[in-house]
Amino acid sequence: METRFFGTTEEDIQQAAEIIKEGGLVAFPTETVYGLGADALNPEAVGKVYAAKGRPSDNPMIVHISSKNDLSHLTFEITDDIRKLMDAFWPGPLTMVVPAAPVVPRVTTGGLDTVAVRMPSDPVAAALITSSETPIAAPSANLSGRPSPTSARHVIDDLDGRIDAIIQGGDCQVGIESTVVDMTGAVPAVLRPGIITAERLSQALGKTVEIDPAMNVKTADFKPKSPGMKYKHYAPKAEMIIYKGDREKVYLAMSEEKLRRTGYGQKVEIIMYDDSEPEKAAREFFAKLRACDKAGVDVILAAAMREDGVGFAVMNRMFKSAGYNIVEV
Ligand code: TXA
Ligand code: MG
């Protein structure tokens, strides 16, 4: 398949929207990561997304809308809590899981009777959804299992020739995927951490928010409520090891390991972010993994960050990337 490349002019977005309307696949920028979009209400189009990504079909998609009103087409009952979070965080990097109206095809929800909905703040994403005149189902625009794409280049590397079009916008400002919160239970529950933290959700709601306990299990055999969280994710080609503990000790241990491995002729990269800048870590982490792959790095040694606030979301990705390969020092 010949992939078409678009910029971000009104005319470009209009043409890309035509492809969505005709049931095609278009990758587009959002504030979190690039998405691979299809008409969320067209089962055939959504089916093609799974194929292009090599994604298991029980892993549901996030449905993207460009106006708060559009939520009422996808679900029946908009509770006070849902409204509060919409008002506080939309448009933005928050996805809410709500009961699905019959109009949402089961292929979009991975067979579930709930649907994940998000209203992105990126103006190109919003314009594409509006011009397409339909909600857009979009997982991250990477091959399944690879680090999520935070630049147009990453999308091209993974999906050129496999999808109809790519809108080439700028680099993503957030850099990790949206927070996913399940609004269908008695207590809202964070199924995937993001830069909108549980504390902020809790503040906006004026009540407690749970975190899916599976998020705190640091081994590969856990059972998260969100289907997508169980798959091997974000993996670089390199072997990856996380060092956890006192910062100075961690730095020393990583330096020694680097020296040792370099001695065997391995190419070693160290990743270490400052605890005070988790947003920067979020923005750069996936791009860093891809850069290591391109440079032919054999081993990535990464220092764990403090797991509070946004650091919790960054460490969720880091642990998965490393396949829970953790050294305590
Ligand atoms: O920031 C993002 O959310 C990006 C951009 C493109 O918007 N999208 C994204 O989609 O990360 P994806 O498909 O890579 O991740 C969707 C996550 C998966 O973990 C999936 O299992 C979960 O959301 N999810 C979707 N629908 C769900 C549902 N009905 N119930 C529980 N989890 C759901
Ligand atoms: Mg993804």
Side-chain angles (χ1 to χ4, degrees):
M1 176 188 296
E2 178 91 34
T3 299
R4 292 171 67 189
F5 291 91
F6 292 113
T8 57
T9 66
E10 229 170 275
E11 201 192 310
D12 281 332
I13 292 172
Q14 196 55 52
Q15 286 186 42
E18 287 307 319
I19 297 175
I20 296 280
K21 284 184 188 179
E22 288 160 13
L25 304 187
V26 178
F28 62 99
T30 85
E31 70 276 23
T32 56
V33 302
Y34 272 72
L36 175 57
D39 179 349
L41 307 182
N42 176 341
E44 218 171 287
V46 173
K48 286 195 272 184
V49 174
Y50 290 103
K53 275 186 61 101
R55 179 181 175 108
S57 63
D58 70 339
N59 190 359
M61 314 253 161
I62 293 175
V63 176
H64 297 70
I65 58 179
S66 61
S67 135
K68 291 180 190 174
N69 287 332
D70 292 342
L71 181 61
S72 59
H73 302 300
L74 302 171
T75 190
F76 302 116
E77 206 203 330
I78 299 175
T79 61
D80 286 346
D81 282 351
I82 293 174
R83 202 167 294 284
K84 279 184 196 161
L85 293 187
M86 245 164 81
D87 288 343
F89 301 110
W90 279 5
L94 178 71
T95 297
M96 284 191 264
V97 173
V98 298
V103 67
V104 185
R106 286 306 176 260
V107 56
T108 303
T109 67
L112 299 173
D113 55 8
T114 54
V115 59
V117 187
R118 161 165 127 78
M119 178 175 170
S121 61
D122 183 284
V124 175
L128 178 70
I129 300 161
T130 303
S131 304
S132 301
E133 298 171 326
T134 184
I136 294 183
S140 46
N142 51 295
L143 286 174
S144 201
R146 300 262 301 134
S148 292
T150 56
S151 77
R153 184 71 241 173
H154 301 159
V155 181
I156 297 168
D157 287 345
D158 278 16
L159 298 177
D160 189 11
R162 299 175 70 93
I163 61 178
D164 297 291
I166 299 173
I167 299 179
Q168 296 178 278
D171 293 352
C172 302
Q173 285 309 300
V174 174
I176 55 172
E177 308 85 344
S178 61
T179 305
V180 177
V181 60
D182 181 0
M183 301 302 289
T184 64
V187 181
V190 172
L191 305 183
R192 179 175 72 184
I195 64 153
I196 296 179
T197 58
E199 295 81 41
R200 286 176 69 196
L201 296 175
S202 188
Q203 233 163 35
L205 291 169
K207 67 181 197 191
T208 335
V209 169
E210 279 176 357
I211 296 177
D212 181 356
M215 293 307 99
N216 288 309
V217 179
K218 290 178 183 63
T219 60
D221 62 25
F222 66 145
K223 293 193 170 54
K225 286 186 191 145
S226 182
M229 301 298 277
K230 70 173 181 266
Y231 294 108
K232 184 170 158 68
H233 251 118
Y234 317 130
K237 293 181 192 125
E239 175 188 358
M240 186 167 166
I241 308 168
I242 294 177
Y243 285 75
K244 215 168 174 290
D246 171 77
R247 258 186 113 65
E248 299 240 318
K249 282 194 198 155
V250 161
Y251 187 70
L252 262 166
M254 290 198 306
S255 304
E256 269 173 27
E257 188 66 9
K258 176 168 180 174
L259 209 66
R260 198 173 72 81
R261 297 217 183 212
T262 308
Y264 300 151
Q266 284 190 323
K267 193 164 179 180
V268 184
E269 184 73 19
I270 287 184
I271 299 181
M272 195 166 191
Y273 295 109
D274 199 307
D275 276 334
S276 67
E277 294 181 309
E279 288 84 4
K280 178 173 184 277
R283 189 160 57 242
E284 296 177 358
F285 179 64
F286 286 136
K288 181 74 191 173
L289 295 187
R290 283 178 179 264
C292 285
D293 280 351
K294 277 209 166 158
V297 168
D298 300 298
V299 192
I300 298 170
L301 309 175
M305 297 189 77
R306 212 171 43 223
E307 283 176 75
D308 58 359
V310 174
F312 181 66
V314 173
M315 287 314 300
N316 170 271
R317 276 54 175 199
M318 207 185 266
F319 286 131
K320 287 191 187 180
S321 306
Y324 302 90
N325 191 4
I326 304 166
V327 174
E328 307 248 2
V329 296

